[in-house]
Amino acid sequence: MPHILITGANGQLGQALTTHLEPTAKLTCWTRPHYDIADPAIADVVAETKPDVVVNAAAWTDVDGAEAAPQFAFNVNALGPKYLAEGCARCDGTLVQISTNEVFAGEPGRFYHEFEQTSPGSVYARSKAAGEVAAATALDRLFIVRVAWLYSAGASNFPARISAAADRHGALRVVSDEFGNPTYAPDVAAAVAKLIESQRYGIYHLVNDGWASRYEWAVELMRLTGREALPVDPISANEWPRPTTPPPHAVLVNQAGAALGIALRDWRDALHEYVQSEFNK
């Protein structure tokens, strides 16, 4: 039974990983403030813990907040993976570094494969791209797993916020010119487990199949929750100002994982399961 250490175990993906891996692995689950991956000493703790695999699901994910606090974002998202990778190198462990579609510029009409050149724009995106490089510099036994638009039941995420806004206002205005891959955290957890078993290190895009705009995602959520009559108006990203501008079309293609037989289901099917879990309790 492999020993797997999960950082950020209380987050959306961390919880999904814990649920999926618990029956088949010995798990060590780390959360802040008890374990801070931005502390250089965390490398020593990893080496002493001697996991077979570390899955780094810990991250600074406040995209807009990173613009005002770049040092903190880089501490967690860039130095954190470096220290974890160093710890893994000392105990012959493997690291699964969770990254993001936002490492790409998201040029309109582009679809991004695993080995394309990154071009991050925001502080958050640059910190995550730096984490990929830092981990790869310190460790060969490395999986870089990029995800996009992650969500799961019982968490604060786009579907939860959209649903709450629909209940509160009785109508929605949703950006229609930002595109990505809505991705269900339990599906990523299952795919990560298969990836670990493969021992084929490298860069992977583990996202649900297909892609959508924020607007299309919201419309499908309203349909699945029986609120298809609720008005949903498409707006441009310029009409929804933010401290940072997300990449407009950072749509990922799962080529490397699919070549190993690791493919995630259509995003609409995953959203249906999410609705069953979140709204039919």
Side-chain angles (χ1 to χ4, degrees), residues 110-188:
R110 286 285 302 278
F111 295 84
Y112 292 91
H113 296 254
E114 288 86 350
F115 300 107
E116 295 194 47
Q117 183 65 45
T118 60
S119 183
S122 68
V123 168
Y124 165 75
R126 295 199 301 274
S127 70
K128 291 297 288 184
E132 292 184 9
V133 173
T137 301
L139 185 67
D140 293 328
R141 295 179 300 277
L142 173 68
F143 297 102
I144 292 173
V145 173
R146 296 183 183 129
V147 300
W149 291 11
L150 200 67
Y151 70 99
S152 66
S156 175
N157 47 47
F158 180 81
R161 291 191 294 271
I162 283 292
S163 185
D167 291 340
R168 189 164 57 248
H169 302 298
L172 293 170
R173 299 170 69 245
V174 186
V175 171
S176 62
D177 55 357
E178 181 191 349
F179 297 84
N181 313 83
T183 301
Y184 192 40
D187 289 357
V188 176

Side-chain angles (χ1 to χ4, degrees), residues 27-104:
L27 295 186
T28 298
C29 297
W30 285 1
T31 61
R32 291 192 66 206
H34 303 292
Y35 296 94
D36 183 0
I37 67 168
D39 183 345
I42 207 72
D44 300 326
V45 184
V46 170
E48 292 164 5
T49 304
K50 297 180 180 179
D52 298 304
V53 180
V54 175
V55 183
N56 182 27
W60 176 294
T61 57
D62 182 357
V63 176
D64 290 335
E67 295 296 316
Q71 179 178 348
F72 296 103
F74 272 87
N75 281 347
V76 177
N77 293 344
L79 291 179
K82 166 182 161 65
Y83 302 143
L84 294 174
E86 290 172 349
C88 287
R90 288 165 52 188
C91 66
D92 295 325
T94 293
L95 176 63
V96 182
Q97 170 60 22
I98 305 299
S99 193
T100 172
N101 64 320
E102 295 204 22
V103 299
F104 296 109

